[in-house]
Amino acid sequence: MKKLITILSIFLLISFTINTVTAVAQPKIYSQGFYTMKDLNLSENTSYTVQNNEPYVEGLLIILDSDRKIQQLIRIPPSSTKNPIIPLKSDYKFIIYGNVKLIFS
């Protein structure tokens, strides 16, 4: 009986450790254009960063509120590090300018 319990315990331990899956969020990549929060699949009141992975092209990100006032303007150099953006509200709109691919994470 002790052997059976020991074997079952080892089997259960092994089966629980094998099935672990790590979940990593996919970065969101967008090019030049006009976007809303829904278009970018961004959540309200969440901290995001934006990064330009293009090696030779500079980009520009403009964040506007519902009154069309600029809330944040970021000039993103080529191959930049992650730049933090302000906490977002649901009515914000985004303008991405330049032949870039910006990554939101």
Side-chain angles (χ1 to χ4, degrees):
M1 188 68 174
K2 289 182 180 180
K3 289 182 180 180
L4 180 65
I5 292 174
T6 306
I7 292 172
L8 286 175
S9 298
I10 292 172
F11 176 74
L12 285 173
L13 178 68
I14 291 172
S15 66
F16 284 129
T17 58
I18 290 175
N19 293 329
T20 57
V21 176
T22 56
V24 178
Q26 294 271 344
K28 300 166 178 81
I29 302 172
Y30 298 95
S31 58
Q32 182 171 319
F34 297 92
Y35 298 96
T36 63
M37 289 282 288
K38 287 183 182 179
D39 295 336
L40 298 177
N41 295 323
L42 300 177
S43 301
E44 190 174 358
N45 294 325
T46 304
S47 298
Y48 287 101
T49 59
V50 65
Q51 180 178 2
N52 180 9
N53 279 349
E54 292 292 320
Y56 304 108
V57 182
E58 187 174 88
L60 189 67
L61 174 66
I62 304 169
I63 302 175
L64 306 166
D65 64 6
S66 61
D67 296 328
R68 293 185 228 147
K69 292 181 184 174
I70 295 176
Q71 296 300 312
Q72 188 172 12
L73 180 121
I74 305 173
R75 179 173 284 183
I76 305 170
S79 301
S80 71
T81 58
K82 294 182 177 183
N83 299 297
I85 57 177
I86 61 173
L88 303 174
K89 295 184 181 174
S90 62
D91 62 346
Y92 281 2
K93 295 183 178 20
F94 302 83
I95 300 172
I96 298 173
Y97 181 74
N99 191 18
V100 296
K101 289 187 170 61
L102 297 184
I103 300 172
F104 290 86
S105 57

